[in-house]
Amino acid sequence: MAETIDVLVVGAGLAGLETARRLGRSGLSVALADRKADPGSGVHTTGIFVRRSLEDFEFPPDTLGPPISQVELVAPGGAVVALRSER
């Protein structure tokens, strides 16, 4: 007999993992598909999280690097926008 699922989530990035987690906690049967053989081996992102991401997602211990307080965004035309945070 084939197993059935309620939802298939494609992609084990931050959004896919959080979506699968929330759906599963709501009682739905969820399958998570990703091109990596082991989605738990690491989440690939831009490496920059806004404060809201840190508040909304449960990150496993020792998975985040040091906080970044200064970032410079460079447009293709060369214009630079500096972003700084005291937090």
Side-chain angles (χ1 to χ4, degrees):
M1 178 163 76
E3 181 180 341
T4 61
I5 59 167
D6 297 313
V7 180
L8 171 63
V9 177
V10 178
L14 284 178
L17 291 170
E18 182 66 6
T19 299
R21 185 184 72 85
R22 288 184 184 206
L23 291 170
R25 284 189 176 172
S26 76
L28 294 171
S29 173
V30 180
L32 178 63
D34 192 82
R35 67 177 150 187
K36 293 183 291 187
D38 178 12
S41 65
V43 176
H44 296 277
T45 69
T46 60
I48 299 174
F49 297 106
V50 295
R51 178 171 288 288
R52 183 68 189 253
S53 296
L54 294 172
E55 294 168 354
D56 286 352
F57 294 98
E58 297 174 16
F59 292 99
D62 302 323
T63 59
L64 297 175
I68 298 170
S69 60
Q70 301 181 82
V71 175
E72 289 187 350
L73 305 175
V74 182
V80 177
V81 176
L83 303 174
R84 297 186 185 354
S85 173
E86 296 301 319
R87 296 188 230 172

